């Protein structure tokens, strides 16, 4: 996949596999920020987990993946307690809203994004951020979006990376 190209993923599944929503679909993502919007249970995470991520792996497209279910909330608190011995951070997380915990969990991800962009200059890099808005206030969602649009994407472009945020 070259720079500034659409990322097109075609999905065909057998209807009896219980993927009725995705029996035949085409997904097109564009450089920059791609928002997936839908009710809980509408298939956003399923699309990423079962179709987008395997496509990226099989086509050797560099990507970074973070989702609140695996890396947020209780996982962060467990890491602080058992690996980092960060009692102050643990107490802060315990007293924070879910949205604040998600924001806190995204900080190391943005460092990894920057590192990946430096490693893959001249290529496309896909960043999969799943369930980051769960529990976030409207202000927190706006700030995260603003960070991606105003800071991260321009940095990627400076490094010659075409970023796809999904």
């Amino acid at each position: 996949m070259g720079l500034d190209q659409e990322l097109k993923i075609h999905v065909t599944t057998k209807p009896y596999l219980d993927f009725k929503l995705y029996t035949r679909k085409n997904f097109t993502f564009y450089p920059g920020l791609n928002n997936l919007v839908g009710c809980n249970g509408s298939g956003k995470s399923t699309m990423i987990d079962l179709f987008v991520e395997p496509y990226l792996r099989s086509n050797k497209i560099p990507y970074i993946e973070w989702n609140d279910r695996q890396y947020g909330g209780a996982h962060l608190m467990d890491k602080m307690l058992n690996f980092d011995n960060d009692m102050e951070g643990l107490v802060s997380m315990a007293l924070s809203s879910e949205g604040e915990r998600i924001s806190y969990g995204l900080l190391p991800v943005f460092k990894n994004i920057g590192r990946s962009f430096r490693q893959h200059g001249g290529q496309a890099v896909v960043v999969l951020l799943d369930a980051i808005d769960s529990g976030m206030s409207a202000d927190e969602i706006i700030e995260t979006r603003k960070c991606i649009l105003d800071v991260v994407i321009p940095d990627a472009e400076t490094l010659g990376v075409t970023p796809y945020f999904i």
Side-chain angles (χ1 to χ4, degrees):
M1 184 171 72
L3 297 175
D4 298 324
Q5 284 187 335
E6 299 170 346
L7 173 61
K8 293 186 178 197
I9 300 172
H10 177 72
V11 173
T12 302
T13 61
K14 296 178 174 131
Y16 59 83
L17 290 178
D18 204 25
F19 292 119
K20 294 175 183 77
L21 184 64
Y22 296 122
T23 53
R24 289 176 191 246
K25 293 287 182 191
N26 291 310
F27 302 112
T28 304
F29 302 104
Y30 300 92
L33 184 60
N34 296 267
N35 294 306
L36 302 178
V37 179
C39 298
N40 290 342
S42 64
K44 302 177 301 292
S45 297
T46 298
M47 179 182 63
I48 289 172
D49 294 344
L50 297 181
F51 306 116
V52 176
E53 195 170 357
Y55 174 86
L56 298 172
R57 261 195 316 274
S58 68
N59 288 284
K60 296 182 175 45
I61 298 170
Y63 72 95
I64 297 165
E65 185 258 343
W66 188 89
N67 70 63
D68 187 48
R69 295 177 319 277
Q70 276 183 288
Y71 306 112
H75 170 79
L76 281 173
M77 293 174 75
D78 184 56
K79 183 178 178 295
M80 286 177 177
L81 180 62
N82 294 312
F83 299 103
D84 298 342
N85 200 23
D86 181 1
M87 294 307 287
E88 185 177 320
L90 181 66
V91 170
S92 175
M93 289 280 285
L95 299 174
S96 298
S97 71
E98 182 183 0
E100 289 168 330
R101 287 193 296 271
I102 292 169
S103 296
Y104 184 81
L106 284 173
L107 291 176
V109 176
F110 281 111
K111 289 179 189 173
N112 289 339
I113 290 169
R115 188 177 307 115
S116 182
F117 286 171
R118 287 188 295 280
Q119 290 173 349
H120 297 99
Q123 294 182 34
V125 176
V126 177
V127 180
L128 303 171
L129 299 172
D130 188 13
I132 66 167
D133 63 339
S134 302
M136 281 186 164
S137 69
D139 290 340
E140 289 164 332
I141 293 169
I142 290 167
E143 284 302 312
T144 301
R145 184 177 184 277
K146 190 170 174 52
C147 175
I148 292 169
L149 292 174
D150 295 348
V151 177
V152 180
I153 289 176
D155 284 352
E157 292 168 350
T158 299
L159 294 166
V161 169
T162 301
Y164 294 78
F165 282 83
I166 302 171

